[in-house]
Each structure stands twice: as C-alpha cells, then as structure tokens.
Amino acid sequence: MTYRITLLPGDGIGPEVVSAALKVMNFVAEKFNVSIQTQERLIGGCSYDKFGSPLTDEALQTCYDSDAVLLGAVGGYKWENLPHNLKPEAALLKLRKSLGLYTNIRPAKVYSAFVDSSSLKSEILAGTDFVVFRELTGGIYFGEPRGFDEEKGWNTMVYTKEEVERIAHMAFKTAGHRKGVVTSVDKANVLECSQFWRNVVEEVAGSYSSVTLKHMYVDNAAMQIVRDPKQFDVILTGNIFGDIISDIAGMITGSLGMLPSASLGSKYALYEPVHGSAPDIAGQNKANPIAAISSVAMMFEHSFGMTKAAELIETSIDKTLSQGYRTADIARKGDNIVDTEKITSLIIQNIESIYNEQALGVFTL
Ligand code: NAD
C-alpha cells in the first residue's frame, strides 16, 4: 500500500516540527510495510514571499491529489501588516474551506508522565482519554443573516440535516473502536437549532447499536470536563460550542507544544499541531515536535485505519516523557532538557524497542 502525503511545513518552527514528524512517519510506515510518498509545498508567509500568495493553486492542487496533508504552522512578525487576504493565516482558512474539512478532531489524552503537572488533581486526571469532534464549517460562525448596526448585532445559528449527519457518523464510527460512548453536547433547552441537532444525532445513533449516546448541555459539559474528564469517550458538538470545549479539553491535559489535531472532510484530511509558528524560538532546534508527531499518529488512525501504528507512536511518546526527557517548553526541575532533533530520535528509539518487545504479529494491520 502506498499513501501520498502533501507536506506543508509553513513558517517559523513549522519546518522543524514537520521534519521531525516525517522521520517518525517514515519509520513507522516501514515497520507496518506501507510506503509513503511525500510532496512538499509552501504555505503562509514563505509562499507569499516567493509567489505573492500565501497558498497557490498549484499547492492546493497537490493537496487535492494526496491521501492526507500534514501542516506545520504559518505566520510571523514579518507578515503581520499585510492585507487580510494575503496574510499567512488566510491560507489556513482557504485550505480548510477548499478541502471541505467539516470535522475538527482534538484529542484530550493525558500522558502518564504529565499527570502531576496539570492544573487538575492527578487522581481526577489520570486515565483521561477522550476526543472532541467539532463541526467546523457550519453553525453560527457561517449562518446568514449576520451583521450589526448602531442599535444591534446579529448572527444566525443554522444546521442542515446533512451537516449534522455527516459529523455524527464520523463520531459514532470512532466511538465504535474506542470505549463506545458518544456524548452529544448542545443547548437544546434554549436553542431550536440545538433541538434539531439532537433529533438528527438520535436518528444517526440508531445505526450504531454498539455505541451508547448521551446528551449534555454545553454549560454542564464545560463543568464536567474539569470535574470528571474520565467519563468521556467521544464528544460530538457544533462549531461554537466545540471551539470552547476543545480548548478546555486540550489545556487540562497538556501544553501547546503537545496538542495535535485532525480536520476531516468527505474526501480530504488535514493534520496539524494546534500551536502556531512560534517565531520567538524558530530556527533554534528548540521546538517541541510532539504535537506534530502526535498529529501523524492521528493520520495513521483516521486516514489509513492503522490504529496499532497510532498506538505505537503514542506509547513511545509517553515512554520518552516518562524517561524524563523534555523539550524546554515542558521541562520541570530535574528533567533532562533536549532539543527538537534529540527528542525525535529518542521517540524513534522507543518505537523500535516497543515494537520489538511486542510478540510478533501484534502490530499488524
Ligand atoms: P504560538 O503558538 O506560535 O506561540 C505561543 C507560545 O508558545 C510562544 O512562546 C512559543 O514559543 C510557544 N510554543 C508554541 N508552540 C511551541 C512548540 N511546539 N514548542 C515550544 N514552544 C512552543 O502562538 P503566537 O505566538 O500567538 O503566534 C505566532 C504566529 O503563529 C502568529 O503569526 C500567529 O498568527 C500564528 N499562528 C498560526 C497557527 C497555525 O498555523 N495553525 C496557530 C496559531 C497561531
């Protein structure tokens, strides 16, 4: 099996973390006998500098021709004063829209080595492992009419049946190979649009008899994530609620350099770390590559169905952190501070050793 992947390293630390992620991707692909073909294109400020556009049609076409896209980050001081449509960040919106990426997935998983450094008590946090499915291209952020005048401002929250169904199917399928619970988060006690969301999700649930569906109001969900995060498996929610819920979920479990994400549509998939281009540390081999490496784990799971490969990467990250190795952004007193390249090679060494420790045949597709 051969997979075609477009690499969009971008600006700042983007190229450093994508290079690290690519090393891990190639190493794991070889272990699982799949071949990876990569094509690299510019995005963001570096693309503007070369072509006068933060995302060229040619780069976009390369993404259309791939099985998945791996993005680093875009932006930096140099391009801050460009007109809005030429800013590096405009490329992200164009990319997500052009690829029709309607589902954003952000995991909230605690690495065991991090249990003590969260703002939550370790007994509440330990064992937390859930994912947030946020609808990304509909809801109040896109609904019409919208506007404001001197007397009032207004937006419209609207979801079509198709928009709710397609993300609900993705969430139920994922829950089917996890712990089997979908919690749909809405505000159906107040919003008609949420009541509609709830009805459609219930209809979709009928096709997944092995998955339990729960409903939760968004205000309660925000509280429950902090009170008892272990109760969740897959959270399914709309655009505005997911925007907030996924940030809460991310921050209870780690720091910015550790958070991966996936954005999926019907045909295309984009994987990227949540962090930005970190111009303050760019080019210094200091960036934490774990978010990008973990994004590759998500690629193996969601685009290629290689759950075991994804687990192998995640277990190796956990083992490396448990051995006391940290990049500077996540280091505490007594930790062994290492640079981007070193932590990447340590993670690869651990992939090798964990792979070898497993009985032959355990990690097969
Ligand atoms: P940022 O995420 O780039 O950095 C915030 C802080 O976190 C900085 O101190 C940085 O050094 C640190 N940090 C972030 N990622 C890190 C990593 N992997 N390892 C170690 N430290 C890390 O956010 P910002 O400073 O607000 O934005 C910088 C630029 O990035 C801006 O141009 C912004 O628009 C852009 N940005 C891009 C994306 C994206 O490409 N998806 C997301 C957010 C911000």
Side-chain angles (χ1 to χ4, degrees), residues 13 73-76 89 92 256-257 272 275-281 287-288 329:
I13 61 168
V74 299
E89 292 76 7
L92 294 180
L256 209 46
E272 58 180 318
H275 62 73
S277 60
D280 51 333
I281 56 162
N288 184 347
D329 57 310

